[in-house]
Amino acid sequence: MGHVKRVVVGTVGGILLLTGIALLVLPGPGLLLVLSGLVLLAKAVPSLQRHVAPVRARAMKAAADSVASPWRIAGSVLAGLGLLASGLVVGLGLIPELPVSGWTTGASLIVSSAILFVLLVWSHRAHRPGVVAPAVVAPAAAPVAAPATEPAATAGAMAAEPAQAVKRPV
């Protein structure tokens, strides 16, 4: 990775990481943004790679928990609508007594609600039963383990089959 590209990826990763940390206590999808920022930072700073797997596990569990029941989905949707409404109220200055009213604050609330809705839809598609989830690609360095009920010889033969070329008559 080139130096300039590494700096850009690191900067974007740092911004996402800091935003995610802030959203851990503020309304929004903090843990998923922490994961996104950490993944990008690990591309720029390889020594951070060891922190990605534990954060990914916690983020995926949180994503699955967020859509575990209709009540949780409803709560997330209501929180997103609340963020959107708050952003409009603050942005339009409908309550002049608010100390931080204006479009800067309003836009950040609206963007936070949009991120919440996008991640809620993603979590629903990835973790709800009956919904086809996108395939998760394992890292190239990760070994593929055979299921415990399958003999090792069969697992090795099955792993070798996709690599063999199929010859077909023309």
Side-chain angles (χ1 to χ4, degrees), residues 82-110:
L83 282 170
L84 180 63
S86 299
L88 292 173
V89 166
V90 169
L92 293 171
L94 297 178
I95 304 176
E97 296 83 24
L98 290 175
V100 290
S101 54
W103 278 112
T104 303
T105 305
S108 68
L109 289 168
I110 292 169

Side-chain angles (χ1 to χ4, degrees), residues 18 23 47 67 71 73 89-91 93 101 109 127 139 162 164:
L18 291 175
L23 289 177
S47 62
V67 293
W71 289 107
I73 294 171
V89 166
V90 169
S101 54
L109 289 168
H127 297 289
Q164 297 173 355

Side-chain angles (χ1 to χ4, degrees), residues 35 38 48-58:
L35 174 63
L38 192 58
L48 294 175
Q49 188 65 39
R50 63 188 168 110
H51 299 291
V52 172
V55 173
R56 176 176 281 135
R58 291 196 66 191

Side-chain angles (χ1 to χ4, degrees), residues 139-166:
V144 177
T149 59
E150 190 171 335
T154 308
M158 288 176 58
E161 285 178 5
Q164 297 173 355
V166 178

